[in-house]
Amino acid sequence: MRVEIWSDIACPWCYVGKARFEKALEAFPHRDGVEVVHRSFELDPGRAKGDVQPVLAMLSKKYGMSQAQAQAGEDNLGAQAAAEGLDYRTRDRDHGNTFDLHRLLHLAKEQGKQDELVQIFYRANFAEERSLFSEGDERLVELAVEAGLDAGEVRKVLADPTAYADEVRADEREAAELGANGVPFFVLDRKYGVSGAQPAEVFTQALTQAWGERSPLQLIDQGAPDAEACGPDGCAVPQH
């Protein structure tokens, strides 16, 4: 079974939601049969690369709230994150364009290191003092290398704005086609969707239901029912 997660590294509920989903997945009896794929979704696609501002200022402008209200929201998110065992800096975080992060996540996907890089990016954005956005490409190279990627390959992708750009845009188009207008958005076997950072119990229910309703393979006999085939013991040699 495949679970696809549309998310953005700048999204605090994606950070919390991933932890809740993983808690459910860890306890799921068939977890070894579940493939998890992270998909791209930019919350602020119009923001220029290099346009970095404090999170509180961004929230105040975007939602028309006071700085005190924005800070109260961050404090609430910090408490929610702590309940899931996550570190969360409620003060002095910043916000920027995440397009390059998504491009690197597609590179990591090709090498089987996507989940590691997603978690490293989340940690860097929400828990560490150093900015994920204002230190330039070398900060991203450092984090990608921590996930096991090659520094030279990462620099090559960052230097070419077209590298994996089509993959990011395809993910975003697909999210729109599936009706996702916010993240996190979880899709189980392209049959069930779970929107938002739901409690772990909701993810457990969704995993159980999706697993139980998988369609068994229907075999169609065409021609001879004992038609020749190759198997673990080799191929049958025709006798006539």
Side-chain angles (χ1 to χ4, degrees):
M1 182 170 73
R2 171 180 282 197
V3 178
E4 297 162 280
I5 307 174
W6 271 265
S7 59
D8 192 6
I9 298 301
C11 165
W13 288 118
C14 296
Y15 180 46
V16 173
K18 181 176 185 290
R20 292 175 178 173
F21 169 76
E22 288 175 346
K23 184 181 294 184
L25 183 61
E26 178 63 26
F28 187 55
H30 309 290
R31 61 184 178 276
D32 292 340
V34 178
E35 176 192 12
V36 178
V37 178
H38 296 277
R39 301 290 192 191
S40 301
F41 190 107
E42 295 172 275
L43 288 173
D44 199 358
R47 181 176 292 272
K49 181 177 179 178
D51 180 7
V52 181
Q53 68 178 139
V55 164
L56 294 187
M58 180 273 294
L59 292 172
S60 297
K61 181 178 180 181
K62 186 172 183 177
Y63 298 107
M65 61 175 64
S66 67
Q67 291 256 335
Q69 289 172 318
Q71 185 60 67
E74 282 290 283
D75 290 341
N76 175 58
L77 277 161
Q80 299 264 5
E84 304 303 330
L86 300 172
D87 292 328
Y88 189 101
R89 294 180 64 239
T90 60
R91 302 290 191 278
D92 302 321
R93 288 196 309 106
D94 59 17
H95 176 76
N97 180 283
T98 58
F99 188 60
D100 283 348
L101 304 180
H102 287 294
R103 295 197 299 119
L104 290 179
L105 288 171
H106 276 280
L107 169 65
K109 178 186 174 186
E110 287 186 348
Q111 301 183 17
K113 304 179 187 300
Q114 189 186 48
D115 194 68
E116 292 90 337
L117 188 56
V118 165
Q119 194 60 37
I120 287 169
F121 280 161
Y122 277 142
R123 185 201 71 208
N125 187 41
F126 292 108
E128 296 184 354
E129 290 189 14
R130 293 177 61 190
S131 172
L132 183 61
F133 301 106
S134 63
E135 294 191 23
D137 287 352
E138 282 307 301
R139 173 66 167 147
L140 303 187
V141 173
E142 173 190 326
L143 294 169
V145 168
E146 184 181 341
L149 299 182
D150 176 74
E153 194 171 4
V154 172
R155 290 190 182 100
K156 184 177 179 181
V157 169
L158 290 172
D160 178 5
T162 68
Y164 298 101
D166 288 345
E167 287 83 348
V168 175
R169 298 307 183 209
D171 278 357
E172 293 175 333
R173 284 194 303 271
E174 200 162 16
E177 291 166 2
L178 290 169
N181 52 19
V183 286
F185 189 69
F186 302 78
V187 177
L188 291 77
D189 258 1
R190 290 299 173 105
K191 189 173 182 181
Y192 296 101
V194 178
S195 180
Q198 299 285 350
E201 294 77 12
V202 173
F203 290 119
T204 297
Q205 179 183 356
L207 286 166
T208 302
Q209 184 170 347
W211 185 271
E213 295 186 10
R214 291 174 305 145
S215 299
L217 184 67
Q218 300 294 317
L219 292 177
I220 299 175
D221 289 331
Q222 293 182 330
D226 57 348
E228 293 80 2
C230 295
D233 298 324
C235 301
V237 178
Q239 300 300 311
H240 301 291

